Amino acid sequence: MMGVPPSRAPLRLLSVLAGWARGRGAPRSLGALAGPPQRHYKKETLPASEGPIPPVTITEIRQYLRAQGISFHDGYSCLHVPSLFVEGPGEQQQPPTGSARYSLFIDKTTGSFVCTATLAEGTWQDFQASVELKHKGVPHAGLEQLDWVDQTGEDARHIWDRALPLWELLDEEETRTAKAMFGISKVSDATLKRFGVRYLRAARTLVFPWFSPRGSGLKGLKLLGAECQGDTVRYVENTLPRPSAYHNLFGLPLIGRRDTEVVLTGRELDTLALYQATGLPSLSLPRGATCLPPALLPYLEQFKRITLWLGEDFRSWEAAKLFARKLNPKRCSLVRPGDQQLRPLEAFTRGMNLSKILRSALPAGHKSIISFRQLRDEVFGELSNVEQVSGVKWARFPELNKLLKGHRKGELTIFTGPTGSGKTTFISEYALDLCMQGVNTLWGSFEINNVRLAKIMLTQFAVRRLEEQLDQFDEWADKFEDLPLYFMTFHGHQSIKTVIETMLHAVYMYDISHVVIDNLQFMMGQEQLTVDRLAVQDYIVGAFRKFATDNSCHVSLVIHPRKEDEERELQTASIFGSAKASQEADNVLILQDRKLVTGPGKRYLQVSKNRFDGDVGVFPLEFSKASLTFSTPIKGKTRLKKVKDDSGAPPKQAPAGGSGASKKQ
């Protein structure tokens, strides 16, 4: 059976399962499964910050540690420091004799810290405050114990207590069927037992535990349900706590202190197969190829070699290369997707030699100058995966897929349209569509505030007017909250340096792959009128271009058009400023708004530049005021019109062989 990638289940499924578990008499006592309390800072003990927290450099961190007499040594992604929070006198006066005593890790990029011995964590400012207070003789200053006994924790424990190990099911046929459903027929009971995998019979769901790094308690769960649909299996995935707070390196408590090599996978099932086939330490990332949270980096510091085998598609390959940057490319190797190098579980099921595949992994760090021989396999990979290389497809705008072919990392898209035509509304749906498919998105809205923008996007997400159905708000808001969507808090004029620093921080923290800037002119503000505004705009466009290329992140930049005759349709040359914006852009999109005297105007989306394969064209849009969407299908069909010129006017007839039927948008 072929598997379909996991999708997110509605949150109400978890509450149903938890309610079922409680109703069946699941024990409410915490017992041995009570998770260790995580230590956080009391906000009132820290100095109040005014405005955004200033960035810190690795040089400043090292200088501060030396000035305070705190010993440290360099790791791959973090600085290793003796913990301030470990019980016992003389921790700072007596330098630790072994690396195990250096249990506090300071992220070299952000300054945030994690103490793996006590689970204390915080920002660089938190660390400084704790050092200052400890010098005043206040041990563990600013820390409090937070009780983990909340509703989420209760639900996780109830579900866990009701789940059974697969090998303990009374019916052997049921066990075989359950294993076959998840493609783990060859995974032994010993492997399942080692990793603590359980099974919910009533829900036909595998349960993967999130144990404390020290293996002493349950912190959360991941549920993987399977639904058979003909010859395919659709997997439904959910987590407790919510995905944004689920930071489980599945298999971490099984890692020994002397282990120096590990394989990172994108799924728990892949980790089971890899360990059984190779015996190597293996971990799975909490959100697969979507994100590598920096909070997990300290737990990977001990490994001298990390092999990333996240999946079999081009998107997993791109994610592996980005994750290697965080982990330090010098110690990372990547398994290239291909016909003979599938996902670990599929390769294991087919009887392939997983150890041999791991030995063929490519080093992540390339030299500054390389030959075609070193690039040959990568070129072949792009040629043999044309659909995947073309990028993520839009679900709401199929005509856009026919022209742009997809949304690709590392590109710059310029979007323009007349004032009042709905640029912000369209670009929000355009970005939401991609975000719903797992594209981590950062919004920089400099013209309208984030509350209003979030309201627009939530309405588009629900495709209904929630102000008329407030009883459904919580349900839709819960689903919307789980999207990988983030907002900059800037409004009005901001320096490009500050904006770029914020974008870099978001890429590192949340693996952002799409940044939307709305819009360029409003971000520049109206100050400094004596400065050459065109030169400033060119500089900003160049900065966004460089950011997109250097960080393999797509930037969508909204720019107002020049003031022109309202009767004329816009062209690429209509973009405000010099020609640099259109020259630097990989794609140019124009929202055309044709005014009509007899009634509402007609809107079109024109692709006037497409550097990927050159296809340009225009297709109509139909705006729905109720759902604030441009993608609401209506009766009848329309034809996508591809054009070769840059006149901006849609041709009366589509060229022969250059059109395709689709629903009118």
Side-chain angles (χ1 to χ4, degrees):
M1 289 186 293
M2 296 179 61
V4 176
S7 60
R8 293 289 178 193
L11 288 177
R12 59 178 177 274
L13 171 63
L14 292 175
S15 59
V16 169
L17 290 175
W20 167 81
R22 286 192 294 269
R24 295 289 295 272
R28 299 188 65 87
S29 61
L30 303 184
L33 294 179
Q38 191 164 3
R39 308 168 87 176
H40 291 269
Y41 280 90
K42 292 180 180 178
K43 295 301 180 183
E44 62 269 21
T45 64
L46 300 176
S49 59
E50 297 180 1
I53 297 176
V56 62
T57 66
I58 183 61
T59 301
E60 292 171 336
I61 295 175
R62 291 192 180 108
Q63 289 175 345
Y64 179 82
L65 294 177
R66 292 190 184 104
Q68 297 296 326
I70 300 175
S71 59
F72 67 92
H73 63 79
D74 270 293
Y76 296 101
S77 307
C78 306
L79 294 179
H80 303 200
V81 177
S83 178
L84 303 174
F85 313 113
V86 175
E87 298 288 346
E91 286 293 327
Q92 287 302 106
Q93 290 75 13
Q94 299 279 338
T97 57
S99 60
R101 299 282 293 278
Y102 285 79
S103 60
L104 190 142
F105 298 85
I106 302 175
D107 192 296
K108 291 182 180 181
T109 303
T110 64
S112 299
F113 74 88
V114 173
C115 174
T116 56
T118 62
L119 303 185
E121 60 180 29
T123 65
W124 173 242
Q125 287 70 29
D126 294 337
F127 178 81
Q128 290 177 302
S130 183
V131 171
E132 298 297 330
L133 291 171
K134 188 165 186 177
H135 284 334
K136 297 178 181 179
V138 185
H140 310 308
L143 289 174
E144 65 176 343
Q145 300 289 335
L146 296 182
D147 192 357
W148 197 65
V149 184
D150 56 12
Q151 187 59 53
T152 300
E154 286 288 339
D155 290 346
R157 282 186 289 275
H158 288 314
I159 294 173
W160 178 250
D161 290 339
R162 294 304 302 175
L164 296 173
L166 272 172
W167 59 91
E168 290 186 5
L169 299 181
L170 297 178
D171 188 347
E172 292 184 5
E173 180 62 29
E174 182 184 7
T175 302
R176 285 194 295 270
T177 301
K179 281 190 171 185
M181 189 184 307
F182 293 96
I184 55 174
S185 298
K186 291 188 176 182
V187 177
S188 67
D189 291 344
T191 300
L192 294 172
K193 184 176 182 179
R194 175 178 173 82
F195 284 87
V197 181
R198 295 189 180 184
Y199 182 66
L200 270 176
R201 301 174 69 180
R204 301 206 300 182
T205 298
L206 286 181
V207 182
F208 302 100
W210 175 14
F211 289 117
S212 165
R214 292 169 291 177
S216 59
L218 186 72
K219 297 186 67 177
L221 299 173
K222 177 177 283 189
L223 307 179
L224 184 67
E227 300 174 358
C228 295
Q229 300 176 345
D231 293 334
T232 63
V233 177
R234 177 176 177 267
Y235 295 109
V236 181
E237 184 181 282
N238 222 314
T239 64
L240 279 171
R242 305 180 75 97
S244 59
Y246 184 79
H247 290 168
N248 176 25
L249 279 172
F250 178 68
L252 184 61
L254 304 178
I255 299 295
R257 288 186 175 181
R258 296 184 179 181
D259 289 328
T260 59
E261 182 177 352
V262 71
V263 183
L264 294 183
T265 73
R267 298 190 310 176
E268 289 76 11
L269 298 180
D270 290 331
T271 292
L272 300 176
L274 258 172
Y275 173 77
Q276 182 167 322
T278 66
L280 292 173
S282 184
L283 303 171
S284 66
L285 300 178
R287 283 175 273 176
T290 303
C291 182
L292 172 57
L296 298 179
L297 298 182
Y299 301 105
L300 300 172
E301 281 287 291
Q302 76 180 74
F303 303 108
K304 296 180 180 179
R305 175 181 168 85
I306 297 177
T307 303
L308 292 100
W309 190 354
L310 301 184
E312 76 287 357
D313 58 1
F314 188 78
R315 195 170 177 182
S316 299
W317 170 248
E318 288 292 313
K321 290 192 289 186
L322 291 176
F323 293 170
R325 292 187 187 181
K326 290 186 181 182
L327 296 165
N328 192 325
K330 294 180 180 179
R331 62 169 173 161
C332 293
S333 298
L334 315 178
V335 174
R336 182 191 306 284
D339 294 337
Q340 299 303 316
Q341 293 176 188
L342 309 171
R343 297 195 82 98
L345 179 60
E346 294 174 6
F348 176 67
T349 303
R350 294 189 186 185
M352 299 173 67
N353 189 329
L354 271 65
S355 296
K356 183 178 179 181
I357 294 176
L358 290 176
R359 287 195 297 270
S360 69
L362 302 174
H366 282 300
K367 296 180 180 178
S368 299
I369 300 176
I370 57 178
S371 66
F372 176 73
R373 182 179 180 183
Q374 294 167 286
L375 294 173
R376 179 172 177 162
D377 289 342
E378 195 157 348
V379 172
F380 178 78
E382 294 213 2
L383 292 174
S384 59
N385 295 280
V386 175
E387 263 317 287
Q388 296 179 24
V389 171
S390 63
V392 180
K393 303 296 187 292
W394 285 270
R396 299 189 178 201
F397 302 102
E399 286 87 352
L400 201 53
N401 295 327
K402 296 175 184 177
L403 293 173
L404 291 180
K405 305 305 182 290
H407 183 269
R408 294 166 291 276
K409 293 182 178 180
E411 293 190 350
L412 173 64
T413 293
I414 299 297
F415 178 61
T416 191
T419 301
S421 60
K423 291 191 297 298
T424 298
T425 304
F426 174 82
I427 201 69
S428 68
E429 185 181 12
Y430 162 99
L432 175 65
D433 187 340
L434 298 167
C435 188
M436 291 170 64
Q437 298 176 68
V439 176
N440 297 359
T441 304
L442 175 67
W443 252 96
S445 177
F446 297 91
E447 188 167 0
I448 66 173
N449 64 51
N450 287 329
V451 173
R452 183 181 169 195
L453 175 61
K455 176 185 173 184
I456 292 172
M457 298 186 79
L458 179 60
T459 301
Q460 293 172 333
F461 179 70
V463 198
R464 66 193 66 195
R465 295 180 66 89
L466 290 175
E467 55 263 50
E468 298 174 357
Q469 305 173 52
L470 290 178
D471 57 317
Q472 298 183 21
F473 173 80
D474 286 336
E475 177 183 350
W476 285 106
D478 284 345
K479 296 177 183 178
F480 188 75
E481 190 175 329
D482 282 338
L483 294 178
L485 178 63
Y486 305 87
F487 301 88
M488 296 187 204
T489 57
F490 303 132
H491 189 67
H493 170 68
Q494 292 294 332
S495 72
I496 184 63
K497 180 182 178 182
T498 303
V499 174
I500 293 293
E501 286 176 349
T502 302
M503 291 161 58
L504 287 169
H505 178 79
V507 167
Y508 181 80
M509 292 294 295
Y510 310 113
D511 295 291
I512 296 298
S513 55
H514 185 202
V515 178
V516 183
I517 301 295
D518 182 22
N519 59 64
L520 179 65
Q521 285 92 337
F522 211 90
M523 189 188 81
M524 292 169 61
Q526 301 298 322
E527 297 89 349
Q528 301 175 341
L529 297 179
T530 58
V531 178
D532 185 345
R533 290 179 60 80
L534 296 183
V536 172
Q537 177 173 320
D538 286 351
Y539 173 77
I540 293 176
V541 170
F544 285 133
R545 167 76 270 174
K546 186 176 187 301
F547 171 86
T549 302
D550 292 348
N551 296 278
S552 189
C553 180
H554 194 115
V555 176
S556 294
L557 180 59
V558 181
I559 303 179
H560 285 317
R562 302 174 186 271
K563 291 185 178 180
E564 296 183 346
D565 186 353
E566 293 184 358
E567 299 297 324
R568 296 179 55 189
E569 292 190 340
L570 300 178
Q571 305 176 31
T572 302
S574 303
I575 299 172
F576 183 84
S578 69
K580 184 176 178 66
S582 57
Q583 290 171 353
E584 294 279 11
D586 296 285
N587 314 293
V588 175
L589 308 182
I590 303 175
L591 182 61
Q592 301 284 9
D593 189 8
R594 182 180 296 177
K595 304 296 184 181
L596 297 178
V597 178
T598 57
K602 294 184 178 180
R603 293 171 185 167
Y604 301 84
L605 186 70
Q606 179 181 350
V607 178
S608 63
K609 182 179 181 180
N610 173 9
R611 186 171 282 165
F612 180 70
D613 70 353
D615 278 353
V616 294
V618 62
F619 60 89
L621 299 170
E622 188 73 20
F623 180 66
S624 168
K625 190 173 182 180
S627 60
L628 301 180
T629 59
F630 284 92
S631 60
T632 305
I634 62 173
K635 295 180 179 180
K637 295 183 178 181
T638 186
R639 299 180 71 84
L640 167 70
K641 297 163 186 159
K642 293 185 179 180
V643 296
K644 295 182 179 180
D645 61 356
D646 191 31
S647 63
K652 295 182 180 179
Q653 293 183 350
S659 62
S662 64
K663 292 183 179 180
K664 189 174 182 181
Q665 303 297 308

